[in-house]
Amino acid sequence: MAIRGTSLRNLLLLQKVTPLRHYSSSPSSASSVNPTEVSHFNALASTWWDPHGSSRLLHLMNPLRHDFITSCLASQRSPAPSHKLRYLDVGCGGGIFAESAARLGNTASVTGIDPSAEVLKVAQEHARQDPMLYQSRRLQYLNKSIEGLSIPQNVDEQFDVLTLFEVIEHISQPAPFLQSCLPFVKPGGWLVLSTIARTWTSWLTTKFVAEEVVRLVPRGTHEWSKYVNEIEMRQFFQGQKGWASEGAVRAMGCMYVPGFGWRMVSGGEHWGNYFFGVRKDPSSSKD
């Protein structure tokens, strides 16, 4: 198979990306929404809930998302929450994770937000198929970006778990975006995300092989220069007051194995897809 010109140019750009640019921006109230990214996912909306369609890898990854959250809650030194959990799923897309979280016995509520009205319509229509979710208001969707949500004024308005699954790699300036998320997590709560490290290996697997060769995901789904390394993520949160004390940071790599699905891979966070969780200090103020 011939490599397209754009793939060759991307390969030549690998060594020209400055890692520090990912965290060089100061906080901003400007929206993190990229119209190009929204347009790309709008085109995938109709097949979001097709387990064999364009979102197949997300469906297969979903059980690992829950496993990682469970491991985060179990790892904390203070007792895990005895109350039911409130989730905020940022960039929820068609609702694959949000729906599954809403069905858990220890869930009080799930709020999913996404800037794409078209994708969110798919999520809402799918949720309506389950009266337990839709009529009980255990699951709600809002067509908003994180910057469009009102900042919580007290702990009752904050969330136990804020999730950012496959979101960061679609954000041009992740630092102000992440800082916009922080006030929504209650003291002792967790921010949990999944994304991709910016390495030669990830370019080969997620850009060339996944998009160009075997077409596991639609072409143009990812932009390699937006990937964020685990060490960059760790350093960012260590620089945020009221976060990540007492070693309350967890990371785990994961890899898609054709024919077997997604598997956790210890150390994989340094070169490919990975999960990352960080806890807000229990003694921290609401912001």
Side-chain angles (χ1 to χ4, degrees):
M1 173 184 173
I3 301 177
R4 294 190 309 150
T6 52
S7 296
L8 287 173
R9 285 195 294 273
N10 286 339
L11 184 59
L12 294 174
L13 285 171
L14 294 186
Q15 294 177 311
K16 296 183 180 180
V17 177
T18 304
L20 292 178
R21 83 170 185 87
H22 286 265
Y23 293 115
S24 61
S25 300
S26 57
S28 170
S29 60
S31 174
S32 57
V33 178
N34 183 326
T36 301
E37 295 282 1
V38 172
S39 177
H40 174 80
F41 288 106
N42 280 345
L44 307 179
S46 63
T47 61
W48 207 281
W49 279 95
D50 180 355
H52 304 291
S54 59
S55 298
R56 175 172 176 265
L57 293 186
L58 300 183
H59 285 273
L60 294 174
M61 180 183 275
N62 204 46
L64 269 68
R65 295 168 170 174
H66 289 286
D67 290 345
F68 186 75
I69 291 174
T70 298
S71 73
C72 288
L73 296 173
S75 71
Q76 59 194 51
R77 296 183 181 180
S78 54
S82 58
H83 60 275
K84 292 189 175 183
L85 305 178
R86 297 182 68 234
Y87 288 82
L88 176 61
D89 188 19
V90 180
C92 64
I96 295 172
F97 173 78
E99 272 203 26
S100 60
R103 290 192 175 92
L104 297 176
N106 67 338
T107 295
S109 66
V110 178
T111 299
I113 66 171
D114 199 279
S116 169
E118 190 166 342
V119 172
L120 212 60
K121 182 180 179 181
V122 171
Q124 292 168 329
E125 290 178 349
H126 196 272
R128 287 192 183 98
Q129 298 175 23
D130 187 340
M132 186 277 288
L133 294 180
Y134 195 74
Q135 296 177 4
S136 67
R137 296 189 179 182
R138 190 169 183 172
L139 172 63
Q140 68 167 334
Y141 291 113
L142 301 174
N143 182 207
K144 292 179 179 289
S145 65
I146 189 67
E147 298 86 357
L149 285 184
S150 297
I151 294 178
Q153 298 302 303
N154 54 64
V155 69
D156 292 333
E157 296 178 356
Q158 294 175 306
F159 296 85
D160 298 286
V161 181
L162 185 151
T163 55
L164 295 164
F165 291 128
E166 312 306 311
V167 172
I168 292 294
E169 65 269 25
H170 301 288
I171 302 295
S172 298
Q173 298 293 340
F177 170 74
L178 287 170
Q179 287 165 338
S180 295
C181 293
L182 303 187
F184 291 87
V185 182
K186 66 173 53 175
W190 286 81
L191 186 152
V192 179
L193 61 86
S194 58
T195 190
I196 312 171
R198 193 178 60 261
T199 64
W200 285 86
T201 302
S202 69
W203 181 88
L204 179 65
T205 57
T206 67
K207 288 298 297 178
F208 181 60
V209 175
E211 293 189 17
E212 304 291 343
V213 180
V214 297
R215 304 290 174 86
L216 282 173
V217 295
R219 181 178 290 169
T221 295
H222 298 114
E223 185 176 333
W224 183 88
S225 64
K226 291 182 178 179
Y227 292 2
V228 180
N229 291 330
E230 188 270 350
I231 186 61
E232 295 169 335
M233 196 73 71
R234 188 178 292 265
Q235 289 173 345
F236 170 83
F237 280 101
Q238 288 173 342
Q240 304 302 307
K241 183 180 179 181
W243 286 81
S245 69
E246 302 180 358
V249 180
R250 294 180 61 81
M252 176 61 70
C254 59
M255 181 174 66
Y256 177 73
V257 182
F260 295 93
W262 288 94
R263 294 291 185 269
M264 294 291 196
V265 180
S266 180
E269 63 271 21
H270 301 302
W271 49 263
N273 291 74
Y274 66 95
F275 289 97
F276 185 92
V278 57
R279 192 184 186 205
K280 191 171 189 177
D281 299 347
S283 60
S284 176
S285 63
K286 70 179 180 63
D287 51 17

